[in-house]
Amino acid sequence: MTKRITISLPDDLADEAQRSGNASGYIAEALREQRRIREGMAALERLWGPGWQDDITDADRERANRLFGSAREVA
């Protein structure tokens, strides 16, 4: 089942979605990825407790960015 919605995006993001050839599919996949990340973070908190990320060092973040080739730095 699908539902039609209207959204406003910054120009650069709207252009990116349109270039994909299927803006709805592109945005749906981005939302699914955000959900996957939120669920993963919640699982880590259940596993290791609140504040588990407080012990992550800058060196850990740099290593993660190198390993995963992140275009966006890990916060």
Side-chain angles (χ1 to χ4, degrees):
M1 178 180 227
T2 61
K3 180 185 254 186
R4 179 178 288 274
I5 63 170
T6 301
I7 63 170
S8 297
L9 295 171
D11 290 343
D12 62 324
L13 296 177
D15 293 343
E16 185 176 334
Q18 288 178 322
R19 279 193 306 270
S20 75
N22 180 357
S24 293
Y26 187 85
I27 293 167
E29 184 56 35
L31 292 171
R32 284 186 190 101
E33 179 68 7
Q34 286 296 310
R35 181 191 303 155
R36 185 190 69 74
I37 291 168
R38 278 193 314 273
E39 290 171 354
M41 295 298 284
L44 291 171
E45 187 164 316
R46 286 191 305 274
L47 181 63
W48 290 316
W52 63 269
Q53 70 275 28
D54 295 344
D55 293 330
I56 297 173
T57 66
D58 287 341
D60 293 330
R61 287 183 181 89
E62 289 172 16
R63 182 170 182 263
N65 286 328
R66 282 193 312 273
L67 287 172
F68 298 108
S70 177
R72 196 171 115 198
E73 287 191 17
V74 174

